[in-house]
Amino acid sequence: METELSRTLGIEHAIFGFTPFPAVAAALTRAGGFGVLGAVRYTAPDDLARDLDWMQEHTDGLPYGLDVVMPAKKAVEGVTEAEIEAMIPEEHRAFVRATLAEHGVPELAEGEASGWRITGWMEQVARSQLDVAFDYPIRLLANALGSPPPDVVARAHDHGVLVAALAGSARHARHHADAGIDVVVAQGYEAGGHTGEIASMVLTPEVVDAVSPLPVLAAGGIGSGEQIAAGLALGAQGVWLGSIWLTTTEAELHSRALTAKLLAAGSGDTVRSRALTGKPARQLRTEWTDAWDDPAGPGPLPMPLQGLLVAEAVSRIQRYEVEPLLGTPVGQIVGRMNSERSVKEVVDDLTRGFEKAVDRINRIAGRSAQ
Ligand SMILES: Cc1cc2nc3c(=O)[nH]c(=O)nc-3n(C[C@H](O)[C@H](O)[C@H](O)COP(=O)(O)O)c2cc1C
């Protein structure tokens, strides 16, 4: 599965994987794909450095990337985290307390830190992550919520790092191209995490046309080799998968109950909700998302307020595995994530399925399989 982009990066398969877990990213890189470590959860630069050290030791000199979340449109600017905290209305805090109490969610133990405090989507935090990242031989820097600022693009290029950005529409993609981005990830509505409203089948060729000759990666709803073949047939130079890795044996979800929920979920069990971060993000539908999406409630706050507001609540829900509220960002492909497998097994399955799909299309086209 070779494309111009995979040759540029020197990878065997044009399979890119976003993951918050270093062990998954490293395993994907070792399996011949391209692992991209999500940095959003690293508040302390030292923690990111520790995990990038680990990645270095476990990727056999093969290429990998890093993903940061720098929102192009900032809800709040030039203020400290404490000042942002102070902007959260009491009505919303009371709603969190009431929803947790309704489900009997215990408090964290004395001194137990909230493990889910995501501040990486504040620009100053993302910038401190970049200060660490450029000390490592990352080959690609991806940004989730818009084009990275021009100085970040220039800095990446100075280090020989390709810059990728996620796009949910052809307009976004053109904006990325104008900003000097090297690779556009066309991420469809089906995808886990922050997502737009256009499905991958429609979005991929629109983005390919909009930014040609820039390479495009197809993302959203890909979990089989047949779907990879479809993405490549639509003009993509590779695929970018996020959800599928969540149920791999290397993923550190730290919750058997959540893994069980993912394995049991069908493709209709996700919702695009602002409950987690303040921006629409596809995730498992739970009583937590239902509460936030209920018009009778106060509704979610804008990013980054919502993320700060719910951070401790999410930690408590995960810590005590409160099943009805327990969720995670995940895409519609969750319906095909029905068994726990290693990253290598997933990649082998993807490449086998891709070959089958190519043979099938060749037969349909009247060509003999190679
Ligand atoms: C648990 C989870 C967290 C995600 N967080 C981020 C993120 O921090 N940055 C980012 O660029 N994309 C993030 N995404 C989106 C992925 O990069 C990817 O585009 C998406 O998962 C592809 O669609 P799929 O879920 O159908 O594979 C996340 C996806 C998931 C499932």
Side-chain angles (χ1 to χ4, degrees), residues 1-20 24-38 63-67 138-142 162-166 182-187 215-224 228 232 236-245 343 346-347 350-351:
M1 198 189 302
E2 240 187 59
T3 65
E4 215 179 306
L5 181 63
S6 69
R7 277 192 294 274
T8 303
L9 289 167
I11 54 176
E12 193 183 343
H13 310 300
I15 301 174
F16 294 71
F18 166 90
T19 171
V24 173
L28 175 56
T29 283
R30 286 197 311 272
F34 189 93
V36 180
L37 178 66
Y64 63 90
L66 190 78
D67 176 281
I138 56 167
R139 293 293 308 280
L140 179 121
L141 174 71
L162 293 179
V163 181
L166 274 66
D182 308 291
V183 178
V184 176
V185 180
Q187 194 202 237
V216 172
L217 300 175
I222 298 178
S224 72
I228 293 179
L232 298 185
Q237 286 206 25
V239 290
W240 173 279
L241 283 59
S243 294
I244 194 89
W245 317 114
V343 169
V346 172
V347 172
L350 293 173
T351 53

Side-chain angles (χ1 to χ4, degrees), residues 65-303:
L66 190 78
D67 176 281
V68 294
V69 182
M70 277 192 177
K73 286 196 208 116
K74 299 172 195 95
V76 277
E77 228 171 322
V79 281
T80 64
E81 203 180 316
E83 286 167 330
I84 295 174
E85 283 268 10
M87 293 177 193
I88 297 173
E90 179 47 34
E91 182 198 2
H92 286 76
R93 293 194 186 280
F95 183 73
V96 170
R97 282 195 298 273
T99 310
L100 294 176
E102 204 179 301
H103 289 85
V105 183
E107 300 274 349
L108 293 177
E110 185 87 16
E112 195 175 356
S114 160
W116 200 85
R117 189 173 181 79
I118 290 187
T119 53
W121 47 58
M122 299 200 306
E123 186 171 332
Q124 63 270 36
V125 178
R127 281 187 180 275
S128 69
Q129 293 166 346
L130 293 177
D131 290 339
V132 172
F134 287 129
D135 285 341
Y136 292 82
I138 56 167
R139 293 293 308 280
L140 179 121
L141 174 71
N143 190 39
L145 296 175
S147 309
D151 67 297
V152 172
V153 176
R155 200 171 158 198
H157 287 165
D158 285 349
H159 281 83
V161 175
L162 293 179
V163 181
L166 274 66
S169 70
R171 189 174 60 82
H172 283 157
R174 268 191 295 272
H175 191 269
H176 293 331
D178 292 344
I181 266 71
D182 308 291
V183 178
V184 176
V185 180
Q187 194 202 237
Y189 175 78
E190 309 92 316
H194 293 121
T195 176
E197 293 184 338
I198 306 169
S200 299
M201 185 66 127
V202 173
L203 181 71
T204 310
E206 276 188 8
V207 171
V208 168
D209 284 351
V211 302
S212 174
L214 279 192
V216 172
L217 300 175
I222 298 178
S224 72
E226 289 80 356
Q227 288 161 326
I228 293 179
L232 298 185
L234 293 172
Q237 286 206 25
V239 290
W240 173 279
L241 283 59
S243 294
I244 194 89
W245 317 114
L246 290 174
T247 48
T248 56
T249 45
E250 289 91 342
E252 296 148 65
L253 276 187
H254 297 303
S255 166
R256 291 308 304 166
L258 183 54
T259 301
K261 245 182 142 171
L262 287 170
L263 294 173
S267 52
D269 291 333
T270 70
V271 64
R272 197 169 158 267
S273 167
R274 292 173 52 226
L276 207 51
T277 69
K279 279 186 186 285
R282 185 170 299 287
Q283 53 201 287
L284 272 186
R285 182 176 170 188
T286 65
E287 291 187 25
W288 179 254
T289 61
D290 284 353
W292 283 104
D293 295 336
D294 185 346
L301 294 167
M303 180 181 267

